[in-house]
């Protein structure tokens, strides 16, 4: 699905936007099934914080588990094509110079969280600080208010809390929107990625 220009304009103006129906029901089910398959096969690892060689687990900061997607696998062609089109649209509309996309599944068990942070490092170099637009697709069927696990975006002067509901996509600026995942009260799944300049 192509995101309407007016929706992309909201991202440009507000630094975040919520998108509905970016993927079909069949595509969402495929992405969730693959997440469950990988979890059952032990292909998730504890998430880390920090940069490159400095990366380490820090459960006091984030306690989720992740599994990276290989976008070159044929079973993810539909996903790769969708994000490639979105990358092209972002570049054409806002001259962002986006070149690559990376993503992983994330699983939060009951009580797990991610404290407030920015997705782009303040250290600018060829290796650091290149994330430009963050991408969070939710894979939680039948999510209810009170299940916790909200994405909390802080964009002055307001704080926005987004329920991780099935099929909804959040896009936001990686370098200007501090955000957190509040403690979940049930199993919580997402596909999280970044459009990068390098």
């Amino acid at each position: 699905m192509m995101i309407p220009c007016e929706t992309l304009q909201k991202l440009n103006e507000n630094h975040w936007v919520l998108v509905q129906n970016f993927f079909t029901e069949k595509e969402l089910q495929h992405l969730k099934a693959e997440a469950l398959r990988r979890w059952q096969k032990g292909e998730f690892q504890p998430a880390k914080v920090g940069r490159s060689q400095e990366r380490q687990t820090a459960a006091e900061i984030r306690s989720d588990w992740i599994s990276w997607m290989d976008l070159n696998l044929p079973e993810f062609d539909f996903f790769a094509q969708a994000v490639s089109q979105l990358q092209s649209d972002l570049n054409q509309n806002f001259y962002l110079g986006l070149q690559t996309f990376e993503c992983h599944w994330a699983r939060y068990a009951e009580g797990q969280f991610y404290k407030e942070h920015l997705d782009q490092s303040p250290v600018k170099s060829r290796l650091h600080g290149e994330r430009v637009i963050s991408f969070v697709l939710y894979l939680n069927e039948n999510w209810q208010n009170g299940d916790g696990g909200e994405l909390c975006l802080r964009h002055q002067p307001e704080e926005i809390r987004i329920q991780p509901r099935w099929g909804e996509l959040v896009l936001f600026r990686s370098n200007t929107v501090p955000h957190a995942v509040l403690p979940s009260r049930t199993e919580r799944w997402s596909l999280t990625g970044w459009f990068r300049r390098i």
Side-chain angles (χ1 to χ4, degrees):
M1 167 190 165
M2 290 186 62
I3 296 178
C5 289
E6 55 269 25
T7 301
L8 292 180
Q9 190 60 41
K10 288 180 183 177
L11 171 62
N12 188 50
E13 294 171 356
N14 301 330
H15 291 212
W16 75 277
V17 71
L18 180 66
V19 180
Q20 307 279 351
N21 304 315
F22 187 67
F23 292 100
T24 68
E25 181 68 18
K26 181 179 179 181
E27 290 167 342
L28 292 169
Q29 292 290 349
H30 180 76
L31 293 169
K32 179 63 175 288
E34 178 64 12
L36 293 172
R37 185 193 70 79
R38 289 178 177 224
W39 177 256
Q40 291 162 1
K41 292 189 68 176
E43 296 178 7
F44 277 67
Q45 300 292 330
K48 296 181 179 182
V49 298
R51 302 192 308 268
S52 50
Q53 288 87 3
E54 301 170 12
R55 294 183 68 77
Q56 59 184 333
T57 56
E60 71 278 9
I61 298 174
R62 67 180 301 186
S63 50
D64 57 316
W65 287 57
I66 65 171
S67 179
W68 290 91
M69 176 189 285
D70 182 351
L71 289 166
N72 294 313
L73 294 176
E75 57 264 39
F76 302 128
D77 279 350
F78 73 92
F79 185 86
Q81 290 172 13
V83 296
S84 177
Q85 180 63 58
L86 177 53
Q87 178 176 298
S88 177
D89 291 344
L90 289 167
N91 282 336
Q92 288 179 9
N93 283 276
F94 310 119
Y95 309 102
L96 296 177
L98 306 176
Q99 296 172 296
T100 60
F101 180 81
E102 62 181 1
C103 67
H104 61 61
W105 286 272
R107 178 189 183 271
Y108 290 77
E110 183 178 354
Q112 292 185 329
F113 59 90
Y114 195 165
K115 289 189 175 179
E116 185 175 285
H117 62 286
L118 280 171
D119 282 347
Q120 186 184 95
S121 167
V123 179
K124 305 285 187 182
S125 75
R126 267 189 54 79
L127 296 177
H128 304 136
E130 65 273 60
R131 290 174 175 173
V132 180
I133 300 293
S134 300
F135 171 111
V136 185
L137 175 69
Y138 292 117
L139 299 172
N140 305 296
E141 297 176 274
N142 305 314
W143 193 266
Q144 303 294 318
N145 291 337
D147 284 344
E150 297 96 335
L151 177 67
C152 185
L153 305 178
R154 183 163 56 83
H155 186 54
Q156 299 298 342
E158 59 182 336
E159 178 183 272
I160 301 101
R161 293 194 178 187
I162 299 171
Q163 296 283 347
R165 299 191 188 282
W166 177 253
E168 295 190 348
L169 170 64
V170 185
L171 301 171
F172 57 91
R173 291 270 188 174
S174 302
N175 65 333
T176 63
V177 183
H179 56 285
V181 175
L182 303 182
S184 187
R185 298 189 181 94
T186 187
E187 191 175 67
R188 176 194 189 275
W189 297 89
S190 65
L191 190 53
T192 300
W194 302 271
F195 293 97
R196 306 170 69 117
R197 288 205 176 96
I198 60 172

